Amino acid sequence: MQFIELTGKSLLDVINEGEIDMGQLHEAGVNGDSILRINKFGEIELRAKHEWVLVGGLLGNFEDRLRRITQLDWL
């Protein structure tokens, strides 16, 4: 599966208002310095010590927005 990796700070720029529960992300441990990845289905995973943990998902046309803001492509 392909992903785009980003920080928690960059994720805030990608998310549209009302798209995801910010409290849910905070409770999962996401902060500005977090390492995250998003797959082509919009699933957001947080890098934990020994694994990636699913913490939420993006909706709608997030692909172009994600690539534009991160300036990265799927890898």
Side-chain angles (χ1 to χ4, degrees):
M1 176 147 325
Q2 295 181 315
F3 297 90
I4 291 179
E5 293 184 0
L6 66 164
T7 64
K9 182 179 178 196
S10 294
L11 178 64
L12 293 178
D13 294 332
V14 172
I15 295 173
N16 283 333
E17 185 174 334
E19 186 171 34
I20 192 167
D21 181 357
M22 298 304 290
Q24 176 186 357
L25 291 178
H26 181 71
E27 287 176 20
V30 176
N31 62 48
D33 295 326
S34 294
I35 299 170
L36 302 149
R37 68 183 185 182
I38 301 173
N39 64 27
K40 287 189 172 188
F41 299 109
E43 297 169 332
I44 304 168
E45 296 179 338
L46 172 65
R47 176 68 163 96
K49 188 171 184 176
H50 298 289
E51 64 184 344
W52 290 95
V53 179
L54 183 66
V55 295
L58 297 175
L59 303 171
N61 186 16
F62 65 89
E63 290 185 9
D64 292 335
R65 196 172 6 129
L66 179 60
R67 289 195 316 248
R68 185 182 74 251
I69 290 170
T70 64
Q71 297 184 350
L72 298 172
D73 206 349
W74 302 106
L75 182 68

